[in-house]
Amino acid sequence: MADTEEERSPPPQTVGSVQFLLANKLETAMWLSRLFTVYCSVLFILPLLGLQEAANFYQRALLANALTSALRLHQRLPHFQLSRAFLALALLEDSCHYLLFSLIFVNSFPVTMSIFPVFLFSLLHATTYTKKVLNAMGPNSMAFVRTFLDKLATNQQSILKFIACNEIFLMPATVFMLFSGQGSLIQPFIYYRFLTLRYSSRRNPYCRTIFTEMRILIEHFIMKPACPVFLRKIILNSIVLVSRLAPTGA
């Protein structure tokens, strides 16, 4: 009889992980929404179910990311106030930036470049909590998943730089979408506001870093004798214009 009860009882690893998930409901909800974002993003990037379904998964990924960002913003600023001071604090949070990002693109024409930041941020942020879940299951549980998560952590800086490149090049992409009839008139202006927020981010300096690296690289290229003078002037004027548009307080 005792042997039968032991066979019916759930494994202690499962009990430990379930208790851990239930004890951290908000973080578990964000973890699940991030995993769903990754799932939808993959099915958009790899349209295995057809192009029409891929467009639906694009929208679902952005909506799931908006949910994650809203939950994270609530976690960072739990006491909502309808005031300018609270709005100013909210705009300093990266979660608010990507809530705005999702709202910008959720109803627009599907753009692969816009799904990569959502996909990669969700993947990176889910990594830490996934490790905690695995630790709750047991120190040696699912070794192949742990190996994959360790590789992600090792390449985190490169991934964040790639995300920053996507954020920057989406700015001219929104202008191109406007002139090609696939975007709205206000989208480039709202996205410019998003990009200035990313440039001024306190927690993620990679947008500023990529802008600086691009400027150094371009200036090095145009100062070569082989570069035509008219092209050098155009690029220098463009650099001056972009520098003027950058936030002064960053």
Side-chain angles (χ1 to χ4, degrees):
M1 190 69 178
D3 293 340
T4 305
E5 290 179 356
E6 288 179 3
E7 290 175 1
R8 290 180 180 177
S9 61
Q13 290 183 352
T14 306
V15 173
S17 59
V18 170
Q19 288 177 344
F20 175 77
L21 294 173
L22 293 176
N24 303 277
K25 293 184 177 64
L26 183 58
E27 291 188 1
T28 299
M30 289 192 292
W31 178 62
L32 292 174
S33 63
R34 283 167 177 153
L35 292 179
F36 184 70
T37 303
V38 171
Y39 167 76
C40 292
S41 300
V42 170
L43 288 180
F44 169 71
I45 296 169
L46 304 174
L48 303 176
L49 302 178
L51 295 178
Q52 183 60 41
E53 281 298 315
N56 293 333
F57 280 115
Y58 173 84
Q59 194 172 50
R60 290 169 193 167
L62 289 170
L63 288 172
N65 182 71
L67 173 62
T68 306
S69 300
L71 290 173
R72 177 60 176 159
L73 186 61
H74 173 69
Q75 186 182 47
R76 295 279 299 172
L77 300 173
H79 304 295
F80 175 78
Q81 297 175 4
L82 194 61
S83 65
R84 291 182 64 182
F86 181 85
L87 179 60
L89 285 175
L91 289 175
L92 294 176
E93 298 293 332
D94 287 4
S95 52
C96 183
H97 303 169
Y98 266 87
L99 176 59
L100 177 61
F101 181 91
S102 297
L103 296 177
I104 291 171
F105 290 104
V106 69
N107 288 318
S108 70
F109 185 84
V111 182
T112 305
M113 194 185 297
S114 67
I115 211 68
F116 277 117
V118 167
F119 165 57
L120 293 173
F121 266 132
S122 297
L123 190 62
L124 287 176
H125 289 154
T127 298
T128 304
Y129 198 73
T130 302
K131 287 182 179 179
K132 292 180 180 179
V133 175
L134 293 177
N135 291 336
M137 293 174 62
N140 299 316
S141 58
M142 304 184 74
F144 66 96
V145 177
R146 290 178 183 272
T147 302
F148 174 71
L149 297 179
D150 289 338
K151 288 182 179 180
L152 276 179
T154 303
N155 295 287
Q156 179 174 328
Q157 187 174 7
S158 298
I159 294 172
L160 290 172
K161 284 188 174 183
F162 178 74
I163 292 172
C165 286
N166 275 265
E167 292 172 349
I168 292 168
F169 287 110
L170 270 170
M171 184 68 251
T174 58
V175 177
F176 176 79
M177 288 169 62
L178 172 62
F179 287 107
S180 63
Q182 296 175 342
S184 66
L185 182 62
I186 63 171
Q187 190 178 46
F189 298 99
I190 301 176
Y191 190 81
Y192 166 71
R193 178 55 177 159
F194 164 81
L195 193 58
T196 59
L197 292 172
R198 297 305 295 155
Y199 188 89
S200 305
S201 175
R202 299 175 301 178
R203 300 167 64 88
N204 189 331
Y206 290 97
C207 189
R208 292 193 301 275
T209 301
I210 294 299
F211 265 118
T212 303
E213 290 178 357
M214 287 174 59
R215 178 173 182 172
I216 293 171
L217 183 64
I218 292 171
E219 287 179 344
H220 175 73
F221 169 75
I222 63 175
M223 291 306 169
K224 291 183 177 181
C227 180
V229 176
F230 77 93
L231 181 60
R232 183 181 302 147
K233 288 183 178 180
I234 292 172
I235 295 176
L236 285 174
N237 289 333
S238 300
I239 291 174
V240 171
L241 175 62
V242 172
S243 299
R244 287 177 180 174
L245 293 174
T248 55

